[in-house]
Amino acid sequence: TQLLEQSPQFLSIQEGENLTVYCNSSSVFSSLQWYRQEPGEGPVLLVTVVTGGEVKKLKRLTFQFGDARKDSSLHITAAQPGDTGLYLCVEGGYQKVTFGTGTKLQVIP
Amino acid sequence: GAVVSQHPSRVICKSGTSVKIECRSLDFQATTMFWYRQFPKQSLMLMATSNEGSKATYEQGVEKDKFLINHASLTLSTLTVTSAHPEDSSFYICSATPGQGGNYGYTFGSGTRLTVV
């Protein structure tokens, strides 16, 4: 399975800080999903982006899809301890799934 | 929303025995399900794509005789780890999509923590 490149790999920040996670590919995404996974659990879907340049907001989370559909970012404003987890970008078609390398976020109270 | 149930959540087995993990789509039909393996602090690695009524498609490096996949119905896929060894200890996760995965997203099971002693 080809992995999408995510950065940073690890991030430890204080509560209230802002952060951005990036997901990059050398090829064009058909569509992209962002998931958050907590230890011992399966990933949970946060958002799906399809159109180049698309921006979606989910409370304090802002997702952006690059104009060329080869990159995406996740921005968290005023991070909370509950945001702690592994963030994964995923490109998936009907029969093929490509995962990001993952970003492990820790928000310290 | 779409729900995928995975069972058991944790299993401990002796080396040399086989373990079966079930993945069920509870409120939708899934012609395709995916099985992953995850090592600590790492992303998910796709093991195989399970197709209802046909043979699974395995990723390179995954032993199909060791990781048996059966997708006998549109709501159930099973992964059997045969003759398990300690190196098979891992977190196994399944996922399914109710439609054309890219736009519908994938629903993941809650995972199975396998420990082989």
Side-chain angles (χ1 to χ4, degrees), chain B residues 76-115:
Chain B
L76 173 64
S77 175
T78 60
L79 168 67
T80 302
V81 183
T82 63
S83 187
H85 291 283
E87 57 265 31
D88 298 325
S89 298
S90 192
F91 193 54
Y92 293 88
I93 307 175
C94 67
S95 76
T97 177
Q100 299 293 318
N103 292 339
Y104 286 84
Y106 299 91
T107 302
F108 288 82
S110 54
T112 298
R113 171 72 61 193
L114 170 63
T115 303

Side-chain angles (χ1 to χ4, degrees), chain A residues 12-26:
Chain A
S12 181
I13 62 172
Q14 295 290 328
E15 180 177 0
E17 291 185 7
N18 301 333
L19 67 118
T20 302
V21 177
Y22 299 92
C23 175
N24 292 283
S25 171
S26 56

Side-chain angles (χ1 to χ4, degrees), chain B residues 7-56:
Chain B
H7 180 80
S9 58
R10 291 179 179 272
V11 58
I12 300 173
C13 70
K14 290 185 177 180
S15 187
T17 62
S18 295
V19 173
K20 180 184 285 188
I21 303 170
E22 292 187 350
C23 181
R24 293 181 184 272
S25 57
L26 297 187
D27 49 2
F28 66 97
Q29 294 183 331
T31 55
T32 303
M33 292 186 177
F34 302 91
W35 287 96
Y36 310 85
R37 184 171 179 175
Q38 186 176 32
F39 293 101
K41 300 181 181 180
Q42 293 187 24
S43 186
L44 281 68
M45 297 299 295
L46 180 64
M47 298 175 64
T49 302
S50 171
N51 301 297
E52 186 268 336
S54 64
K55 292 182 179 180

Side-chain angles (χ1 to χ4, degrees), chain A residues 73-91:
Chain A
S73 65
L74 157 60
H75 182 79
I76 301 179
T77 304
Q80 303 293 314
D83 297 327
T84 293
L86 177 68
Y87 288 81
L88 297 162
C89 62
V90 178
E91 186 201 17

